[in-house]
Amino acid sequence: MLQSWRAGDRRALDDLVPLLNRELHRIAKRQMAAQPAGHTLQTTALVNEAYLHLIDAKRASWQDRSHFIAACSQIMRRILVDHARGRQAAKRGGGVLVASLEEAWVTSVEPDTDVVALDEALEFLAKVDPRKAKVVELRFFGGLSVKETAAVLDISGESVLRDWRLARAWLARELSKE
């Protein structure tokens, strides 16, 4: 259906919208659960923003469901980071937005981690080791399984697990410097 939509099939889009909506809400709920109480961006607003970005990405070549979810996760991550940066700028450095990572990420990272700091650390990791950064993005932000992540990146499940462990440790160290 994704391929047909990309090719301009309006009917495929009509069939795809309920499925997209369900997937986007699942991803958004996962990401919003990591936000602090009182966060001003609501789950539905996050989904709507993601839809707007997806419409612009109509020419994207979605390989499969996992690839699509990875792209949606990345879009939502960007929206949340931009929102956090906007709030920080509005408060002139005060009111740092914090994201709870405890539920989805059991590691030595503090349970409340600044989403902007996490994004900056992940961007730096992407320059040093793009694959490890992509594994974090797919697993943490996208909620993909090891098998799905391996399929998207075309690597073995063992490589995903190894990259996941190393990336978490590296990010924990970087975030503890904050």
Side-chain angles (χ1 to χ4, degrees), residues 156-170:
S156 70
E158 292 81 19
S159 293
V160 169
L161 289 171
R162 184 176 45 255
D163 286 352
W164 177 237
R165 282 190 304 268
L166 292 169
R168 286 188 336 210
W170 186 88

Side-chain angles (χ1 to χ4, degrees), residues 1 5 34 37 50 52 54-56 67 77 82-83 87 90 94 96 98 109 111 123 125 127 136 152 159 176:
M1 283 190 277
W5 170 43
L52 293 175
L54 286 170
I55 289 169
D56 289 340
H67 185 241
R77 175 180 153 225
D82 289 347
H83 181 76
R87 289 196 56 183
V96 175
V98 177
V109 175
E123 291 293 325
L125 177 60
K127 291 176 185 170
V136 171
V152 168
S159 293
S176 69

Side-chain angles (χ1 to χ4, degrees), residues 87-101:
R87 289 196 56 183
Q88 286 177 349
K91 293 184 177 186
R92 300 283 185 243
V96 175
L97 182 63
V98 177
S100 172
L101 301 177

Side-chain angles (χ1 to χ4, degrees), residues 108-141:
S108 61
V109 175
E110 291 294 317
D112 291 327
T113 302
D114 179 343
V115 73
V116 174
L118 175 60
D119 180 65
E120 289 169 356
L122 198 52
E123 291 293 325
F124 185 75
L125 177 60
K127 291 176 185 170
V128 175
D129 192 329
R131 191 175 85 183
K132 284 182 182 61
K134 197 67 175 168
V135 166
V136 171
E137 193 168 87
L138 295 171
R139 299 261 313 145
F140 177 70
F141 290 100

Side-chain angles (χ1 to χ4, degrees), residues 1-65:
M1 283 190 277
L2 288 169
Q3 296 295 339
S4 297
W5 170 43
R6 198 181 107 236
D9 182 352
R10 178 74 183 161
R11 191 171 186 185
L13 178 61
D14 293 340
D15 293 339
L16 191 58
V17 166
L19 299 173
L20 285 176
N21 197 39
R22 198 168 33 245
E23 284 295 328
L24 290 175
H25 269 88
R26 183 186 65 78
I27 295 167
K29 283 180 184 177
R30 177 183 176 89
Q31 291 196 18
M32 292 304 293
Q35 302 304 310
H39 190 273
T40 59
L41 188 64
Q42 299 297 317
T43 303
T44 302
L46 181 57
V47 169
N48 291 340
E49 285 288 324
Y51 265 121
L52 293 175
H53 284 81
L54 286 170
I55 289 169
D56 289 340
K58 187 172 132 179
R59 290 177 298 279
S61 178
W62 311 116
Q63 296 166 359
D64 55 24
R65 177 185 173 274

